[in-house]
Amino acid sequence: MTPLLRPLALAVACLAFAHSALAEEPKRPECIAPASPGGGFDLTCKLVQSALLNQKLLEKPMRVTYMPGGVGAVAYNAVVAQRPKDGGTIVAWSSGSLLNLAQGKFGRFDENAVRWLAAVGTSYGAIAVKTDSPYKNLDDLVQALKADPSKVVIGSGGTVGSQDWMQTALLAKAAGINPKDLRYVALEGGGEIVTSLMGGHIQVGSTDISDSMPHIEAGNMRILAVFSDKRLEEPGMKDIPTAKEQGYDIEWPVVRGFYVGPKVSDEDYAWWKTTFDKMLASSEFATLRDQREMFPFALTGAELDAYVKKQVADYKVLAKEFGLIQ
């Protein structure tokens, strides 16, 4: 090598080293669950927390923090506006987050405001009641709603237009009931839905099957219907009827995943993407996902970004159909 080329080679080597250093494991990895403890966001963070540590993809345990408010809106705004470059923080999202984005419920920020990182699994919407509820199936509930919708208090994560609201709105529409006549109580995620249901403050919970299984297994809750295309085959779920088989053609998958701030470096983003790709491909992760009553759905990077943008566009059509947006 000529003397003139040595400095150039050294500079290239130093630049490569610098880039590799930027792509190292975050010093303080954090997962934000944008709701109170006990719901689907909490479950999603803890699933990945366990998987990354068990597979030694992180040397330090990833801490889980809670940022409730607006079913994800507070966390979304905080990360975009206050922590846009934080490469050590991932934030949980769900299909409900995308539905809210489609309606402009996250304030001035839309679906283009963050970097979509990974989808790690899916669940399905469900209608839950206490074990001793007089409603034994969807028809029982529908007849009660037709008789007097004001006497049936339905708890949902978020206000009118939320994912949980949409599930019951679709049921009402299929039954010939005006969704605006239903009596809703807006709650902050699956954890509060369960607490309110157990306390008798609501008669029906619009939730998802993953949140509900621990309470079903404990004997405190029953599921009137799950919004999947066919009965789920996992232990404890085989006896849960679908809405479809009860005559209500409704499906509602609940995809769960993570995003990072909009100004997170390409190197940090690439580190997380590579790490998630390794994790999602492993049998260890599949076992942990199954234990949390979630089902396979894995996308990362550009593929996930395209999926998110399409879902938001589809949800905008649905929201217009129900008069939620112009």
Side-chain angles (χ1 to χ4, degrees), residues 216-276:
I216 294 170
E217 291 164 355
N220 299 322
M221 183 187 287
R222 284 189 291 110
I223 298 294
L224 298 185
V226 61
F227 296 124
S228 54
D229 60 338
K230 58 185 178 181
R231 285 206 183 195
L232 304 173
E233 295 298 319
E234 281 64 22
M237 297 186 183
K238 296 180 181 180
D239 295 330
I240 298 174
T242 66
K244 276 190 169 184
E245 70 186 74
Q246 297 180 72
Y248 302 92
D249 190 13
I250 305 167
E251 291 181 37
W252 195 272
V254 184
V255 176
R256 298 195 176 278
F258 300 92
Y259 64 82
V260 297
K263 296 182 180 178
V264 166
S265 70
D266 290 344
E267 292 80 11
D268 286 340
Y269 181 86
W271 184 91
W272 279 112
K273 181 186 181 304
T274 299
T275 300
F276 268 89

Side-chain angles (χ1 to χ4, degrees), residues 1-2 43 67 89 119 121 149 160 191 193 197 205 212 216 258 284 303:
M1 182 179 294
T2 67
L43 178 149
M67 196 178 291
T89 298
V160 170
I193 291 174
L197 195 61
S212 305
I216 294 170
F258 300 92
E284 293 91 344
E303 288 184 341

Side-chain angles (χ1 to χ4, degrees), residues 1 5-21:
M1 182 179 294
L5 289 177
R6 286 195 188 105
L8 178 60
L10 181 60
V12 170
C14 288
L15 185 60
F17 176 81
H19 277 273
S20 66

Side-chain angles (χ1 to χ4, degrees), residues 36-189:
S36 302
F41 290 133
D42 190 12
L43 178 149
T44 309
C45 277
K46 287 179 177 173
L47 165 62
V48 172
Q49 179 190 50
S50 298
L52 293 174
L53 190 61
N54 289 356
Q55 295 178 51
K56 296 181 172 54
L57 295 172
L58 277 176
E59 292 183 7
K60 299 177 182 177
M62 180 169 63
R63 63 192 177 114
V64 176
T65 57
Y66 301 94
M67 196 178 291
V71 193
V74 170
Y76 200 86
N77 280 265
V79 168
V80 175
Q82 301 165 24
R83 303 169 61 177
K85 297 180 181 179
D86 189 346
T89 298
I90 61 175
V91 189
W93 61 269
S94 72
S95 298
S97 310
L98 306 186
L99 180 61
N100 283 347
L101 280 167
Q103 298 172 65
K105 288 189 173 183
F106 280 13
R108 68 185 189 275
F109 301 120
D110 64 11
E111 67 274 15
N112 300 301
V114 299
R115 303 191 73 175
W116 300 97
L117 176 63
V120 299
T122 189
S123 181
Y124 294 93
I127 299 296
V129 295
K130 286 181 70 174
T131 305
D132 59 0
S133 170
Y135 311 130
K136 305 302 180 185
N137 51 50
L138 274 189
D139 280 333
D140 288 347
L141 174 59
V142 166
Q143 293 310 312
L145 291 171
K146 284 184 174 179
D148 189 350
S150 69
K151 290 186 176 179
V152 183
V153 183
I154 302 170
S156 66
T159 56
V160 170
S162 69
Q163 173 172 256
D164 292 342
W165 179 90
M166 189 64 76
Q167 293 174 170
T168 49
L170 289 167
L171 176 62
K173 182 183 177 184
I177 302 169
N178 187 342
K180 294 181 180 179
D181 292 337
L182 301 183
R183 185 178 171 189
Y184 287 98
V185 173
L187 301 168
E188 187 62 44

Side-chain angles (χ1 to χ4, degrees), residues 273-316:
K273 181 186 181 304
T274 299
T275 300
F276 268 89
D277 285 337
K278 290 176 184 175
M279 181 193 76
L280 291 167
S282 69
S283 59
E284 293 91 344
F285 175 77
T287 299
L288 289 171
R289 184 197 61 224
D290 293 347
Q291 288 172 354
R292 287 158 176 79
E293 317 296 349
M294 290 176 67
F295 306 91
F297 190 94
L299 288 176
T300 61
E303 288 184 341
L304 175 65
D305 186 76
Y307 169 84
V308 166
K309 304 299 170 55
K310 183 180 185 305
Q311 283 298 106
V312 171
D314 290 346
Y315 286 148
K316 284 180 180 178

